[in-house]
Amino acid sequence: MEVELATAVNDGHQSGLDSVEKSSDEAPLLSPSMGSNELEVSQQKEDGFISSEHCSEVDDLSSSQIIEDSSQWHSEGTEDKAPLLSTVQKEGPVDKDAAVLRNGMIVSSEDLNDLEMKCEPYVRHDIYGTMGKGDISVWEKALIALSLLTIVPIKLILLLTILIAYYLICRVCTLFKSPLKDEGQENYSYLTGWRKSIIVCSGRFLARTMLFVLGFYWITVTHRDFHPAEKPDEDNCKGKCMPQEDSQRPGAIISNHVSYLDILYHLSASFPSFVAKRSVAKLPFVGLISKCLGCVYVQREAKSSNFKGVSAVVADRLRAAHFDPNAPVMMLFPEGTTTNGGFLLPFKTGAFLSQTPVQPVILKYPYRRFSPAWDTISGIRHLILLLCQFVNHLEVMWLPVYVPSEKEKHDPKLYANNVRALMAVEGGLTLSNIGLFEKRIYHAALDATLQGHR
């Protein structure tokens, strides 16, 4: 409902990445230096449900740690899987634009340019430059200063007021009610009648109000309908893309992931539930709100044998949403991290294991000065620059519900790839085969470069 909730849920989706791989039949990606805990995390990525994110996880690793781990992986004969590591040099002269990564290991400006080409889905192209720390004009600095003194404080007060208001609404609607506790989960998704109506209606309204405060005064929404002659052929769409009916009710909304703002939009549009960190349930204000959303909580530590894995919980939720019109639909970002908005990363299979139809949605953020994409910029810097903007734009395309074929139902990877291909074609997005690992390397190289220039 608010930026704090959006960021927490976003980060929880990335934790969801680390909590569901055990159901995958594919071999995990192993690092030679993994301990038992790291091995468990590595085995949990293929069926992941997303972000947010990424920046928080990247910040947990220093540049030297990432490069060191990458070099170790490199030495095991997997160079083709990590071509980005070819930019690391151990010896040789250091030019003035080179960044020292670790004990003399450097990335030159030429190498960094090559790295940006390979990590194009994460490269920022707005006027604020790399990581939002580029050189800007005097006029732009004046606009930021003016915004910080005027509209930014007003926006922050309004956002905080909305957060508190919705918390109070949720508190009133849950009076004399206890959260449903099942398989380690805790939520109020069972509420019905006036309580549920108020929570949902006020939640959607206040989420849209937050977007308005953040400068999204108009949101362009289109609903793509496939006429019989336009339906994708069998080579491009193995399943069926058709209007939503009871038999085609989606279990999940599948969306590309560009920013934590994606969550606010989806809350305003359909009020779905999300995957979130277990710690979110204990946060002030946000904890109760997440329970009213019906979030699925995940944790990094090993799960007790008394509880289902998160993949089983999510699959149950997706089936419930498909068969029961009163059950909340789930919102999943199968890319597992955010991009700059022009690309579509490989989909994790977690959202496609339940064999239920999905609702594909494509988000785009057109911009002239500041890109709302949360790619390689820190959360605080991104929020400040976002608040400084007078106007922001969002375009949304809802595709018809995608009903999997029998073959796709028995092959989640095929199901995921076909939905991804359809979204790329309809949204004009470029398919990319890189993922979070490359993003971490790119972020580490950028961080080391900027530190080297100080």
Side-chain angles (χ1 to χ4, degrees):
M1 290 309 329
E2 54 297 313
V3 174
E4 183 179 359
L5 173 60
T7 305
V9 172
N10 213 18
D11 189 52
H13 272 292
Q14 185 59 57
S15 298
L17 270 175
D18 298 336
S19 304
V20 294
E21 174 58 18
K22 288 188 176 181
S23 61
S24 175
D25 293 329
E26 299 187 13
L29 176 65
L30 301 180
S31 170
S33 60
M34 282 185 178
S36 58
N37 292 336
E38 295 174 37
L39 177 59
E40 180 181 354
V41 170
S42 72
Q43 289 174 329
Q44 296 168 341
K45 289 189 177 177
E46 174 60 26
D47 295 338
F49 301 111
I50 110 180
S51 42
S52 251
E53 216 269 45
H54 71 291
C55 282
S56 61
E57 290 223 355
V58 170
D59 291 341
D60 292 338
L61 298 176
S62 66
S63 304
S64 61
Q65 288 174 315
I66 294 176
I67 298 299
E68 182 174 7
D69 291 344
S70 301
S71 301
Q72 195 167 16
W73 186 32
H74 220 6
S75 65
E76 292 295 320
T78 56
E79 290 82 0
D80 292 339
K81 294 183 179 180
L84 306 178
L85 303 180
S86 62
T87 62
V88 179
Q89 304 173 358
K90 292 186 177 180
E91 299 178 354
V94 180
D95 62 47
K96 64 179 181 179
D97 294 325
V100 179
L101 294 180
R102 179 176 59 87
N103 296 331
M105 296 178 66
I106 62 171
V107 171
S108 67
S109 57
E110 181 179 350
D111 291 330
L112 186 59
N113 291 335
D114 184 58
L115 189 61
E116 288 186 341
M117 293 180 62
K118 296 173 181 177
C119 294
E120 194 173 359
Y122 309 127
V123 178
R124 292 190 69 82
H125 299 289
D126 62 12
I127 66 173
Y128 295 98
T130 301
M131 301 180 77
K133 300 179 180 179
D135 294 329
I136 57 177
S137 65
V138 175
W139 172 248
E140 189 65 29
K141 292 178 180 178
L143 288 178
I144 292 177
L146 177 63
S147 298
L148 289 173
L149 295 174
T150 55
I151 64 173
V152 171
I154 296 175
K155 288 182 177 182
L156 286 174
I157 293 173
L158 290 174
L159 292 173
L160 183 59
T161 301
I162 294 172
L163 170 62
I164 296 176
Y166 190 59
Y167 168 79
L168 294 176
I169 291 173
C170 291
R171 176 59 66 189
V172 171
C173 291
T174 55
L175 282 176
F176 312 114
K177 295 288 184 178
S178 299
L180 176 65
K181 297 182 179 180
D182 180 46
E183 298 292 349
Q185 301 298 319
E186 185 176 351
N187 61 74
Y188 290 96
S189 60
Y190 71 91
L191 293 178
T192 58
W194 67 270
R195 296 174 187 268
K196 181 177 180 179
S197 296
I198 292 178
I199 288 175
V200 173
C201 293
S202 63
R204 294 181 62 177
F205 173 76
L206 292 178
R208 183 62 186 91
T209 303
M210 289 192 70
L211 287 172
F212 188 90
V213 171
L214 291 170
F216 294 91
Y217 307 123
W218 303 276
I219 298 179
T220 303
V221 180
T222 58
H223 293 267
R224 182 82 163 89
D225 292 325
F226 290 127
H227 298 291
E230 295 182 296
K231 284 187 179 181
D233 58 34
E234 219 174 279
D235 293 333
N236 296 324
C237 185
K238 304 296 182 183
K240 297 180 180 179
C241 304
M242 54 183 61
Q244 182 175 341
E245 300 174 358
D246 288 346
S247 60
Q248 284 86 40
R249 184 180 296 109
I253 297 173
I254 301 300
S255 175
N256 63 318
H257 200 17
V258 184
S259 173
Y260 53 79
L261 298 168
D262 303 349
I263 295 173
L264 287 178
Y265 168 74
H266 286 294
L267 284 175
S268 69
S270 52
F271 203 76
S273 57
F274 297 87
V275 176
K277 281 183 177 180
R278 188 173 297 280
S279 59
V280 170
K282 301 178 181 179
L283 293 176
F285 302 118
V286 174
L288 177 62
I289 294 174
S290 69
K291 293 175 184 177
C292 289
L293 286 172
C295 288
V296 174
Y297 299 112
V298 298
Q299 57 188 8
R300 288 187 180 280
E301 60 269 23
K303 299 182 292 291
S304 167
S305 59
N306 294 327
F307 297 134
K308 290 181 181 179
V310 66
S311 58
V313 174
V314 170
D316 288 346
R317 289 283 190 91
L318 298 186
R319 295 187 188 99
H322 174 55
F323 293 107
D324 182 2
N326 294 318
V329 68
M330 287 211 68
M331 174 70 246
L332 300 172
F333 300 99
E335 291 174 284
T337 189
T338 54
T339 68
N340 58 20
F343 294 80
L344 206 57
L345 305 180
F347 280 5
K348 309 300 180 181
T349 58
F352 306 92
L353 294 173
S354 65
Q355 304 180 353
T356 57
V358 296
Q359 172 76 72
V361 180
I362 302 167
L363 305 179
K364 291 187 175 182
Y365 295 85
Y367 66 91
R368 300 181 66 179
R369 296 167 59 242
F370 172 74
S371 170
W374 192 21
D375 34 43
T376 52
I377 185 173
S378 70
I380 297 298
R381 182 177 294 272
H382 184 279
L383 178 59
I384 292 175
L385 292 177
L386 178 69
L387 292 171
C388 288
Q389 307 308 307
F390 294 95
V391 180
N392 291 297
H393 302 278
L394 172 58
E395 296 177 354
V396 185
M397 178 184 291
W398 289 75
L399 300 181
V401 174
Y402 189 106
V403 181
S405 64
E406 288 301 317
K407 187 175 182 181
E408 288 172 323
K409 289 181 180 180
H410 294 90
D411 188 347
K413 191 67 176 178
L414 175 66
Y415 188 6
N417 288 340
N418 288 338
V419 174
R420 176 176 177 247
L422 176 67
M423 292 176 65
V425 171
E426 294 298 324
L429 303 175
T430 302
L431 294 177
S432 174
N433 291 324
I434 66 174
L436 183 60
F437 178 79
E438 289 83 359
K439 187 175 193 176
R440 286 173 168 172
I441 295 176
Y442 177 55
H443 191 280
L446 290 178
D447 188 56
T449 301
L450 292 176
Q451 290 181 7
H453 289 172
R454 289 175 182 174

